[in-house]
Amino acid sequence: MSKKVTSAKSKEYMERFYSGLQRRNPGETEFHQAVYEVATSVFPYIADKPHYHEKQILERMAEPDRVIIFRVVWEDDEGNVRVNRGYRVQNNNAIGPYKGGLRFHPNVTLSVLKFLAFEQTFKNSLTGLPMGGGKGGADFNPKGKSDAEVMRFCQAFMSELYKHIGPDMDVPAGDIGVGAREIGFLFGQYKRLTTQFVGVLTGKGLEFGGSLIRTEATGYGTVYMMESMLALKNDAIEGKTCVVSGSGNVATYAVEKVNHLGGKVVTMSDSSGFIHDPDGIDAEKLAYIVDLKTVRRGRISEYADRFNATFHQGQRPWSVACDLVFPCATQNEINSEEAHTLISNGCIGVSEGANMPTEQAGVDAFVEAKILFAPSKAANAGGVAVSGLEMSQNSGRISWSEEDLQGLLRKTMTDIHDQCVEFGRESDDYVNYLKGANVAGFVKVADAMLAYGVL
Ligand code: NDP
């Protein structure tokens, strides 16, 4: 008969678990960080549920099902042979086929992809759709490459990856550095190699099986999450000053949705620095940014030359006073000091569009200050939710209308919000969305794993 685990025992289990994780995965700091964040919520929750301890459920979730690493060889426009490293981390398929994006960026490492695949497992669970967690990519930098070079790289990458993916096995999507252009090249090569037209990638063009609103979904969903958190406190986005980082896919549609809801966005950024426009980045200025970043592939500083704004080279926007924050660029872009600066400048809410954009000490600062804080696995799940709907449309050979999909996205984000409230409400009524998201995401995957026995 199982016994209840005392809180001292639970702490001891947590310490043993975490030191084992560090020992088995040396130097993988991002992966350690992501697992630690989840473990701090899950261990207290399972203290009186010993079956999860006995079956080593969190230990099994933090050991990927498998990791595929491969060489990618391609030729640049000058005829030089170039070599990159490709990866696919298949973390957990307890509740559905592996699902998660591909990232092409020079700082891609196994640690980064293991953290992303682990996070994805919980995020996908929160959407309520049957999707497991995976992530992949390469240390390839698409910046400064011609379209022909990007195409040759994508074809070489898919020439290995196609052996490990499939519509019922593993369905990748885009992420940093992998947008519509790259997905087109990747899907074309998959189709050529397998002679099959199937839903093996999401984020596809509308002409070849893509879904309406997939492009907008992550950014919109991140703002819907903030809207739901504010609504619970009888507040709204209208009239709020917002700080956004990034100027890619997620940032763009977060800004668009904040504008729709009557807020004012005063910053955006890229890896060279940030622009501050106190008048607000309206629809016309946002269209300029989209053209700059997706067509001309230029730097954000050009915005400051064009409009009445300042450019802050090499800096992040967290010193700008605001009500709401949407980090939408990359991991660990808010440190502890910056989190404290945001709080003391009056920030009342953070909704994470990027994956794990806040360092652990920054997360702790937001939660201790009891401001509204939606962690990425909840806040940015709208994108993968619409990807899940793209998979359903592909397998049913149907296309849903924009109106239907907008409604489904809105409902998914509300459901995620409500799950966080259910599992995260504390005795003083503060909703700890971090705890709520971690525990709600854990339970569904854990119960499926228990049902399968010891595997
Ligand atoms: P994009 O490639 O479209 O945009 C990324 C943005 O972040 C660019 O502005 C880029 O600047 C900036 N950036 C990238 N790396 C750094 C860095 N090291 N320091 C500062 N800025 C940086 O990516 P997405 O918008 O798709 O993704 C952004 C984040 O959202 C990522 O964390 C991703 O994992 C997450 N996400 C994305 C989803 C999606 O649907 N696309 C779904 C869920 C999460 P520059 O132009 O200079 O490179």
Side-chain angles (χ1 to χ4, degrees):
M1 180 78 179
S2 299
K3 285 199 210 80
K4 181 177 176 349
V5 177
T6 62
S7 87
K9 204 72 184 151
S10 172
K11 196 156 171 264
E12 186 193 314
Y13 282 167
M14 162 84 192
E15 279 163 13
R16 202 183 318 145
F17 163 76
Y18 189 59
S19 63
L21 182 99
Q22 288 176 303
R23 184 173 32 78
R24 284 194 305 280
N25 303 280
E28 296 183 356
T29 51
E30 294 87 355
F31 181 53
H32 301 165
Q33 182 184 342
V35 177
Y36 181 85
E37 187 223 271
V38 168
T40 52
S41 304
V42 167
F43 271 95
Y45 173 74
I46 64 177
D48 59 354
K49 300 168 188 68
H51 49 296
Y52 292 128
H53 283 290
E54 285 159 11
K55 301 296 179 194
Q56 303 276 311
I57 293 294
L58 196 57
E59 287 78 355
R60 285 152 66 183
M61 286 183 187
E63 192 65 44
D65 288 356
R66 69 192 62 75
V67 175
I68 299 138
I69 302 183
F70 51 97
R71 185 177 63 230
V72 186
V73 187
W74 56 285
E75 250 181 39
D76 67 20
D77 288 345
E78 280 74 50
N80 302 307
V81 173
R82 308 279 287 259
V83 183
N84 286 96
R85 185 173 296 171
Y87 305 84
R88 186 71 184 162
V89 179
Q90 296 178 332
N91 193 68
N92 186 300
N93 68 352
I95 60 168
Y98 306 106
K99 178 94 199 84
L102 297 171
R103 178 176 290 191
F104 292 167
H105 192 279
N107 75 7
V108 161
T109 59
L110 184 57
S111 170
V112 167
L113 295 177
K114 278 170 71 176
F115 115 64
L116 288 165
F118 179 79
E119 281 282 296
Q120 195 81 44
T121 303
F122 293 81
K123 180 187 316 195
N124 292 0
S125 164
L126 284 170
T127 67
L129 295 170
M131 299 182 289
K135 201 83 187 187
D139 59 349
F140 169 75
N141 188 358
K143 254 190 229 132
K145 305 285 190 304
S146 69
D147 285 352
E149 288 176 323
V150 171
M151 181 186 75
R152 287 196 291 275
F153 176 82
C154 288
Q155 291 177 344
F157 182 84
M158 185 52 86
S159 296
E160 177 62 33
L161 186 71
Y162 87 99
K163 299 169 195 165
H164 311 286
I165 60 176
D168 296 319
M169 191 196 328
D170 184 353
V171 184
D175 190 71
I176 291 179
V178 179
R181 173 182 64 169
E182 291 76 15
I183 292 289
F185 293 146
L186 290 163
F187 186 69
Q189 182 72 352
Y190 181 87
K191 197 166 64 59
R192 172 159 74 178
L193 292 168
T194 61
T195 64
Q196 289 191 351
F197 191 112
V198 288
V200 72
L201 288 164
T202 56
K204 300 185 291 298
L206 291 177
E207 314 74 25
F208 52 97
S211 174
L212 288 164
I213 83 153
R214 172 61 190 91
T215 319
E216 298 90 334
T218 306
Y220 280 12
T222 302
V223 178
Y224 288 149
M225 187 70 190
M226 179 69 87
E227 196 188 22
S228 295
M229 293 195 296
L230 287 167
L232 199 62
K233 297 177 88 69
N234 298 317
D235 204 347
I237 288 177
E238 189 172 7
K240 299 281 191 300
T241 299
C242 304
V243 159
V244 173
S245 66
S247 49
N249 172 265
V250 180
T252 298
Y253 291 101
V255 174
E256 185 172 287
K257 187 50 74 181
V258 167
N259 286 342
H260 284 167
L261 296 174
K264 180 165 82 166
V265 176
V266 295
T267 67
M268 287 182 81
S269 70
D270 68 13
S271 50
S272 66
F274 79 92
I275 52 107
H276 180 202
D277 183 346
D279 295 335
I281 301 168
D282 61 17
E284 188 198 330
K285 293 171 178 175
L286 186 61
Y288 173 87
I289 292 214
V290 171
D291 179 68
L292 174 70
K293 298 305 287 188
T294 60
V295 181
R296 292 192 282 129
R297 298 191 187 268
R299 309 309 293 154
I300 195 103
S301 56
E302 292 178 44
Y303 179 100
D305 301 336
R306 170 77 189 269
F307 301 105
N308 185 24
T310 49
F311 173 62
H312 303 262
Q313 182 151 17
Q315 291 182 44
R316 305 192 281 218
W318 317 127
S319 56
V320 174
C322 62
D323 303 303
L324 305 176
V325 170
F326 299 92
C328 297
T330 192
Q331 66 268 10
N332 290 331
E333 53 170 324
I334 303 180
N335 63 27
S336 168
E337 196 186 326
E338 290 163 325
H340 282 104
T341 302
L342 284 165
I343 296 163
S344 53
N345 281 343
C347 166
I348 59 164
V350 180
S351 184
E352 295 186 329
N355 280 312
M356 204 171 74
T358 314
E359 289 182 6
Q360 185 64 45
V363 171
D364 294 343
F366 291 143
V367 173
E368 272 159 31
K370 296 193 184 272
I371 66 166
L372 302 173
F373 172 68
S376 51
K377 59 175 72 67
N380 71 22
V384 73
V386 174
S387 282
L389 301 175
E390 183 174 332
M391 289 164 71
S392 305
Q393 293 172 84
N394 291 166
S395 55
R397 299 193 196 288
I398 47 168
S399 307
W400 289 325
S401 71
E402 176 162 354
E403 199 186 353
D404 286 346
L405 288 160
Q406 291 283 11
L408 286 167
L409 172 63
R410 189 76 195 78
K411 181 174 180 319
T412 303
M413 295 314 297
T414 308
D415 289 348
I416 293 174
H417 173 267
D418 294 352
Q419 290 177 69
C420 293
V421 174
E422 183 188 339
F423 287 97
R425 196 185 284 280
E426 298 190 334
S427 51
D428 61 358
D429 239 20
Y430 171 65
V431 178
N432 183 337
Y433 287 88
L434 179 74
K435 181 168 94 185
N438 285 336
V439 173
F442 169 83
V443 168
K444 189 172 160 197
V445 179
D447 289 347
M449 290 172 73
L450 286 176
Y452 299 141
V454 178
L455 325 152

